[in-house]
């Protein structure tokens, strides 16, 4: 029996729920980088999905990898929290030019707007 999330959903059902639609099996096995026969064999195994498979799915469908790990019981909320607290997080800031402060521009009024010449007609 493959891993399920906290609500008993397998990976495909969870993706359908999170992405608000029907995710095709082809999209999943493409994300995993496996053939269809390997995918259908793999979804019956006890350790499906593993952490690497969740990472690939998260990357492909623009989902949170730590969230998927928590949902499938591969990490706890506390483990995720302690990981982020132990990791030195640095934020790069953008240098502000030393010139005069930029003036705040107001959006153009409708009467000041002109149609784009490259836009197709309505």
């Amino acid at each position: 029996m493959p891993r399920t999330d906290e609500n008993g959903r397998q990976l495909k059902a969870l993706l359908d729920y999170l992405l608000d639609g029907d995710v095709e099996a082809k999209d999943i096995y493409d994300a995993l980088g496996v053939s269809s026969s390997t995918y259908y064999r793999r979804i019956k195994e006890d350790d499906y999905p593993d952490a690497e498979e969740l990472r690939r799915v998260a990357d492909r469908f623009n989902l949170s990898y730590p969230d998927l790990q928590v949902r499938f019981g591969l990490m706890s909320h506390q483990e995720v929290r302690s990981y982020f607290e132990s990791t030195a997080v640095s934020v790069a800031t953008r240098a502000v030019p030393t010139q005069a402060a930029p003036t705040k521009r107001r959006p153009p009024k409708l009467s000041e707007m002109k149609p784009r010449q490259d836009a197709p007609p309505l």
Side-chain angles (χ1 to χ4, degrees):
M1 179 80 163
R3 285 188 181 102
T4 58
D5 72 352
E6 65 274 4
N7 294 315
R9 292 180 287 220
Q10 292 184 9
L11 180 60
K12 183 180 180 327
L14 178 65
L15 291 175
D16 289 341
Y17 170 74
L18 292 175
L19 300 173
D20 197 28
D22 188 30
V23 176
E24 300 293 325
K26 182 180 184 337
D27 295 330
I28 299 172
Y29 61 74
D30 284 348
L32 297 175
V34 298
S35 67
S36 62
S37 59
T38 301
Y39 169 74
Y40 285 109
R41 178 185 45 79
R42 183 78 180 107
I43 63 174
K44 297 174 187 168
E45 296 176 4
D46 292 340
D47 63 339
Y48 174 80
D50 63 19
E52 177 61 16
E53 290 165 332
L54 291 176
R55 184 193 63 76
R56 289 178 180 198
V57 166
D59 288 348
R60 173 65 177 265
F61 295 105
N62 199 25
L63 298 170
S64 168
Y65 173 52
D67 179 56
L68 289 178
Q69 285 187 307
V70 169
R71 286 178 185 262
F72 282 95
L74 297 176
M75 289 185 79
S76 69
H77 286 285
Q78 183 57 39
E79 288 171 322
V80 172
R81 187 176 301 115
S82 64
Y83 171 76
F84 282 110
E85 289 171 355
S86 68
T87 305
V89 178
S90 63
V91 176
T93 58
R94 187 174 63 152
V96 177
T98 57
Q99 298 172 341
T103 58
K104 197 171 190 179
R105 288 185 47 185
R106 65 170 177 77
K109 293 180 181 177
L110 190 58
S111 62
E112 298 170 345
M113 296 177 137
K114 294 184 173 82
R116 288 183 10 216
Q117 296 302 314
D118 63 333
L122 295 175

